[in-house]
């Protein structure tokens, strides 16, 4: 072997040993990172399950609210009566038209044989749609 190679060989061997040590250290860090990533994936999966469960509960709560709202709405309208085909009253102001509607309702009930006192039993009368003098 030549003298210059013999002089350089120990430095070269030391560099290779240092590189080997550093590679082992990097591999060790990679293994730790991989384990940490696996733990984080499990945590993320657990959080996603909790979010999904919370969303289902929230959807159930909304559905429950809708159901109770529908029940209250039906309860408030259970005594409503809708009558079709009653001609528009000819009164000039709203009050006179409502009185005409009450009279029309009383006539309809009389014709059906229903004894109805509109003053005591009818809270309000509402026409559906806009008022149209032409009807």
């Amino acid at each position: 072997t030549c003298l210059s190679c013999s002089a350089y060989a120990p430095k070269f061997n030391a560099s290779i040993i240092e590189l080997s040590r550093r590679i082992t250290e990097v591999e060790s860090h990679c293994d730790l990172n991989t384990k940490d990533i696996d733990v984080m994936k499990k945590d993320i999966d657990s959080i996603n399950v909790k979010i999904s469960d919370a969303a289902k509960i929230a959807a159930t709560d909304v559905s429950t609210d809708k159901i109770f709202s529908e029940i209250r709405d039906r309860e408030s309208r259970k005594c409503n009566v809708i009558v079709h085909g009653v001609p528009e009253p000819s009164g000039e102001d709203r009050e006179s038209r409502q009185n005409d509607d009450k009279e029309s309702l009383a006539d309809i009930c009389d014709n059906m044989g229903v004894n109805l006192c509109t003053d005591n039993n009818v809270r309000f009368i509402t026409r559906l749609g806009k008022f149209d003098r032409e009807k």
Side-chain angles (χ1 to χ4, degrees):
T1 62
C2 72
L3 233 37
S4 66
C5 289
S6 296
Y8 184 72
K11 290 180 186 177
F12 185 71
N13 283 340
S15 294
I16 291 200
I17 290 171
E18 176 62 20
L19 286 174
S20 178
R21 183 192 65 76
R22 290 177 70 187
I23 288 172
T24 303
E25 187 177 325
V26 167
E27 287 174 338
S28 171
H29 284 287
C30 283
D31 288 343
L32 289 173
N33 287 342
T34 301
K35 289 177 184 175
D36 287 344
I37 288 170
D38 289 342
V39 169
M40 287 182 186
K41 282 181 180 178
K42 288 178 184 176
D43 289 347
I44 289 171
D45 289 343
S46 173
I47 290 169
N48 284 336
V49 167
K50 289 177 183 178
I51 289 171
S52 177
D53 291 346
K56 287 176 187 174
I57 290 170
T60 302
D61 289 345
V62 169
S63 296
T64 304
D65 287 344
K66 285 182 180 179
I67 290 169
F68 282 121
S69 176
E70 177 71 21
I71 290 171
R72 283 189 298 272
D73 189 41
R74 286 183 185 188
E75 185 67 25
S76 71
R77 290 186 283 129
K78 73 179 180 182
C79 295
N80 287 5
V81 175
I82 297 176
V83 180
H84 295 274
V86 178
E88 288 279 348
S90 60
E92 290 298 318
D93 62 353
R94 183 178 181 175
E95 188 176 326
S96 67
R97 288 193 305 270
Q98 282 187 336
N99 287 335
D100 289 347
D101 282 339
K102 282 185 182 182
E103 288 176 17
S104 295
L105 178 62
D107 289 343
I108 292 169
C109 290
D110 285 342
N111 287 332
M112 292 187 332
V114 174
N115 185 14
L116 177 72
C117 177
T118 56
D119 293 334
N120 296 332
N121 296 323
V122 177
R123 281 191 253 162
F124 61 90
I125 292 180
T126 301
R127 282 197 170 256
L128 303 177
K130 262 187 165 180
F131 174 66
D132 185 3
R133 290 191 188 279
E134 302 299 317
K135 284 188 175 183

